[in-house]
Amino acid sequence: MYVYDEHDHKIIQERVAQFRDQTNRYLAGELKDEEFLPLRLQNGLYIQRLAPMLRIAVPYGLLSATQVRKLAHISRVYDKGYCHMTTRQNVQFNWPNLEDVPDILAELAEVEMHAVQTSGNCIRNVTSDQFAGVATDEIVDPRPYCEIIRQWSTFHPEFAFLPRKFKIAVSGSVDDRAAIHFHDIGLQIVKSENGSVGFKVLVGGGLGRTPVIGSVIREFLAENDLLTYLEAILRVYNLHGRRDNKYKARIKILVKAMGPEEFAKRVEAEWEHIRDSQTLLTDKEIKRAKSFFTAPDYEAIDVQAAEAELANAASENKAFSNWLARNVTAHKVDGYKAVTLSLKPTGIAPGDVTDKQLEIIADLADKYSFGELRATHEQNIVLADVKVSELFNLWQEAKAAGFATANIGTLTDIICCPGGDFCSLANAKSIPIAEAIQREFDDLDYLYDLGDLDLNISGCMNACGHHHIGHIGILGVDKKGAEFYQVQLGGNAGNNAALAKVLGPAFSAEDMPTVVRKLVDVFVEKRVEGEQFFETYNRVGIEPFKERIYAKAS
Ligand code: HEM
Ligand code: SF4
């Protein structure tokens, strides 16, 4: 992973000192609320319903065991003993004291972490595929390009005050696991016919109040042109994006208003001026970025023997074989697998991890996965490089620590925002809805029979919980001061990107488990052999679901 050089250390130290001074002045009454606001936002600090919330940047989700131990320490000393993995692969602390935040940032700086640009109208933390570098369907490892984008965008003076926040995601695999269609810029790594590396460029995707699927504005951008082209896109947005209306300020609105063709034309015109500027990436620079993401010391493994032993252990232990089927993913190196630790056991807010669990995760990463791990946008953790022969031991340790729930990709692997429990923007609670649904579907065999099913919940239309792109999406709505839930169907986050459609009138919290049960019943009745929920939905449409849910009792 990327390691700070002396300049990085210096810059982050200076930022910590600057923010300490700003906080002290605010606490002493020398800075007004509105003066402190942009300063704190530049350091990831929100003021929430009950306490401040501090968002820490985790570049493309990659963490070292040392960093995770530091997060454990911070959770214990400065927070309530846990932290939260977000849908943008970041980490949030929900209960720090304002006066402790400079100390927290100083502690983070010790392990090469910070909260810069995790809020505010700037280019946010770049996100990617949690299986980057190890996926069997990978075209090219996206991480060096993510790192190049990160270095370019961090503290970029021209893009510090955009009309609105700006998010970039990069996928390097055939299967998009980074939701590139739903970012301000989505980059898909592709190879040209002659084998050269480049990007398909999408712009104007996003969720929230106006959900939009990104448009492709360029089929192939050579890798050396990455930054100049991003710069051209951002310039067009910075110049023409609306600043008069917060709700219309995202690039998706501009692209929609202009039309993707016109937008692309303007980007190309701007790019012509700057494509040969000093931002043009040299091969040397790309090589340098790649040098941070070399393969770990994989051992030569007798794969047949290891697989045979694994099959044996699986045949004797159903719980273990369930876990292998759901939480363990193929790896491009023979004899290794990627393992997803589930942060979704029933009864725990999705994505929450305690200090002790963080320490265990760090130990597991050291013991089984070269000291590295990844946060996923589905709010789980991945150990990317586990030897097949160690899976059984890892499973046992993960089970003891509470994150071996074998539910990855199933209905109970719910993406869920904090909703009304923490967030001051919420219309309704979301965590208790997730829990009630998890309780309703606590039979693993039944979940496996249902197959892959994304259920996403947001407490308001900002869509932090990605409800628009769940196969089943749930949105908290407010009706005359009471909490209700709207159901949406048919969303899809990956290659078959789709936005969900509203089913009909909203339901009360108590109704939600039964509503989901009925939706699932319709799927089970209508599916043909081998079909997943979204495939059945695409074939039969929304009507059968609507009829069942809103059927009048006769
Ligand atoms: C707790 C306080 C939080 C506040 C005040 C907050 C606020 C917001 C707002 C206002 C938006 C919409 C912005 C827009 O589209 O114009 C948004 C979007 C988003 N938030 Fe949050 N959020 C919070 C927590 C979280 C958490 C915990 C997560 C992750 C689980 C999260 C992930 C996201 C994501 C992924 C989006 C992007 C939707 C898009 O594609 O536009 N947020 N948030
Ligand atoms: S979706 Fe709404 S309720 Fe949920 S975290 Fe985002 S802003 Fe808060």
Side-chain angles (χ1 to χ4, degrees):
M1 65 191 274
Y2 178 70
V3 181
Y4 279 19
D5 64 16
E6 60 184 290
H7 302 291
D8 296 307
H9 278 289
K10 186 162 171 279
I11 290 168
I12 297 305
Q13 294 291 358
E14 283 171 3
R15 178 48 87 92
V16 171
Q18 183 190 47
F19 188 62
R20 188 181 294 284
D21 179 54
Q22 290 162 347
T23 307
N24 287 344
R25 282 191 287 146
Y26 173 70
L27 291 171
E30 294 163 23
L31 286 178
K32 298 198 198 81
D33 280 349
E34 61 272 27
E35 288 168 326
F36 187 54
L37 177 110
L39 306 176
R40 68 172 162 78
L41 288 182
Q42 280 164 6
N43 294 286
L45 188 62
Y46 290 78
I47 299 295
Q48 270 307 294
R49 174 164 288 192
L50 305 165
M53 182 271 277
L54 180 65
R55 186 178 293 145
I56 313 299
V58 182
Y60 33 92
L62 206 58
L63 287 157
S64 70
T66 311
Q67 290 173 329
V68 173
R69 287 198 184 92
K70 182 60 92 176
L71 294 174
H73 167 81
I74 291 171
S75 311
R76 187 160 47 234
V77 175
Y78 301 100
D79 207 289
K80 289 193 178 180
Y82 63 94
C83 67
H84 181 77
M85 300 290 155
T86 81
T87 46
R88 299 204 69 256
Q89 298 179 295
N90 287 329
V91 171
Q92 282 177 191
F93 289 106
N94 279 308
W95 311 99
N97 291 320
L98 177 57
E99 48 273 38
D100 291 336
V101 172
D103 288 343
I104 297 176
L105 295 180
E107 295 230 22
L108 286 169
E110 286 172 18
V111 295
E112 307 184 346
M113 294 183 87
H114 60 70
V116 173
Q117 290 182 202
T118 58
S119 55
N121 295 337
C122 52
I123 302 173
R124 303 286 188 87
N125 191 34
V126 55
T127 54
S128 190
D129 178 0
Q130 65 268 26
F131 298 123
V134 305
T136 48
D137 66 340
E138 192 158 87
I139 303 156
V140 173
D141 184 349
R143 293 171 301 173
Y145 302 98
C146 292
E147 181 53 35
I148 286 170
I149 295 170
R150 163 167 114 117
Q151 296 198 4
W152 161 79
S153 62
T154 306
F155 297 123
H156 195 303
E158 188 178 337
F159 305 130
F161 295 100
L162 295 166
R164 200 71 175 80
K165 61 179 171 178
F166 203 88
K167 300 170 181 175
I168 303 175
V170 189
S171 164
S173 287
V174 173
D175 208 4
D176 167 21
R177 287 174 290 267
I180 58 168
H181 291 85
F182 300 101
H183 281 75
D184 297 294
I185 295 178
L187 295 169
Q188 172 63 51
I189 300 184
V190 285
K191 273 191 178 166
S192 71
E193 273 168 22
N194 67 14
S196 62
V197 174
F199 301 89
K200 185 195 238 181
V201 183
L202 290 86
V203 292
L207 303 177
R209 184 180 292 253
T210 316
V212 185
I213 297 178
S215 306
V216 176
I217 60 161
R218 195 169 232 279
E219 288 290 344
F220 188 85
L221 176 75
E223 59 176 342
N224 303 81
D225 295 322
L226 175 64
L227 295 184
T228 51
Y229 200 77
L230 292 184
E231 205 151 287
I233 296 174
L234 274 138
R235 283 194 173 176
V236 173
Y237 170 55
N238 210 7
L239 194 63
H240 299 288
R242 289 187 60 167
R243 290 174 189 270
D244 59 326
N245 181 338
K246 189 179 170 194
Y247 301 113
K248 297 191 173 168
R250 299 287 295 266
I251 193 172
K252 62 191 172 187
I253 306 292
L254 178 66
V255 173
K256 244 181 140 182
M258 245 183 204
E261 296 78 19
E262 176 60 24
F263 184 85
K265 236 164 67 190
R266 294 199 189 207
V267 170
E268 296 283 330
E270 177 61 30
W271 187 47
E272 276 310 311
H273 298 303
I274 57 171
R275 57 183 297 183
D276 292 323
S277 66
Q278 59 174 9
T279 320
L280 180 69
L281 279 170
T282 58
D283 291 343
K284 193 171 153 220
E285 181 55 20
I286 295 172
K287 211 168 141 203
R288 194 181 77 84
K290 284 187 177 166
S291 71
F292 292 109
F293 303 96
T294 50
D297 253 340
Y298 293 122
E299 285 172 33
I301 285 166
D302 179 347
V303 180
Q304 268 183 337
E307 293 280 0
E309 204 181 309
L310 185 69
N312 208 7
S315 70
E316 284 170 8
N317 189 326
K318 183 154 179 284
F320 179 54
S321 86
N322 286 345
W323 182 77
L324 288 178
R326 275 285 155 192
N327 298 32
V328 176
T329 313
H331 196 292
K332 71 179 178 194
V333 177
D334 279 349
Y336 284 82
K337 302 276 184 193
V339 169
T340 304
L341 301 176
S342 169
L343 302 183
K344 317 285 182 66
T346 299
I348 303 290
D352 275 4
V353 225
T354 67
D355 57 336
K356 289 200 182 65
Q357 283 182 320
L358 286 165
E359 272 159 358
I360 294 167
I361 289 170
D363 291 347
L364 294 178
D366 274 340
K367 196 159 158 192
Y368 297 108
S369 197
F370 301 99
E372 273 185 20
L373 52 109
R374 293 108 182 271
T376 81
H377 87 263
E378 291 93 356
Q379 303 174 286
N380 293 308
I381 296 281
V382 164
L383 298 177
D385 297 293
V386 182
K387 268 196 277 185
V388 167
S389 56
E390 312 244 66
L391 286 169
F392 189 74
N393 292 341
L394 168 57
W395 172 66
Q396 285 183 308
E397 290 189 47
K399 193 154 66 97
F403 29 67
T405 311
N407 65 348
I408 299 303
T410 71
L411 176 67
T412 59
D413 183 11
I414 299 172
I415 293 180
C416 180
C417 82
D421 287 295
F422 301 76
C423 177
S424 48
L425 305 178
N427 287 324
K429 289 206 174 58
S430 48
I431 295 169
I433 303 300
E435 183 179 342
I437 294 168
Q438 285 173 325
R439 289 200 191 284
E440 174 78 17
F441 291 91
D442 64 350
D443 175 354
L444 277 179
D445 285 330
Y446 184 65
L447 284 182
Y448 299 151
D449 174 57
L450 297 179
D452 289 345
L453 213 173
D454 294 344
L455 192 150
N456 299 351
I457 309 178
S458 304
C460 81
M461 65 168 121
N462 286 318
C464 302
H466 292 189
H467 64 277
H468 301 290
I469 49 174
H471 304 148
I472 301 177
I474 297 175
L475 167 65
V477 290
D478 173 277
K479 281 198 195 173
K480 297 187 186 132
E483 299 190 351
F484 278 84
Y485 298 87
Q486 189 189 74
V487 172
Q488 308 191 354
L489 288 187
N492 221 325
N495 293 0
N496 310 311
L499 292 165
K501 283 204 189 89
V502 177
L503 188 68
F507 307 93
S508 69
E510 302 75 62
D511 289 340
M512 283 318 295
T514 315
V515 167
V516 176
R517 171 70 68 182
K518 285 184 185 169
L519 293 172
V520 165
D521 286 346
V522 174
F523 159 59
V524 170
E525 288 162 28
K526 298 277 178 197
R527 71 178 162 185
V528 297
E529 186 71 26
E531 246 180 3
Q532 303 285 359
F533 183 93
F534 74 92
E535 293 165 326
T536 306
Y537 171 86
N538 285 342
R539 188 169 50 78
V540 305
I542 203 166
E543 281 311 317
F545 295 95
K546 227 180 210 171
E547 278 166 26
R548 178 71 51 92
I549 297 285
Y550 297 106
K552 295 260 184 306
S554 53

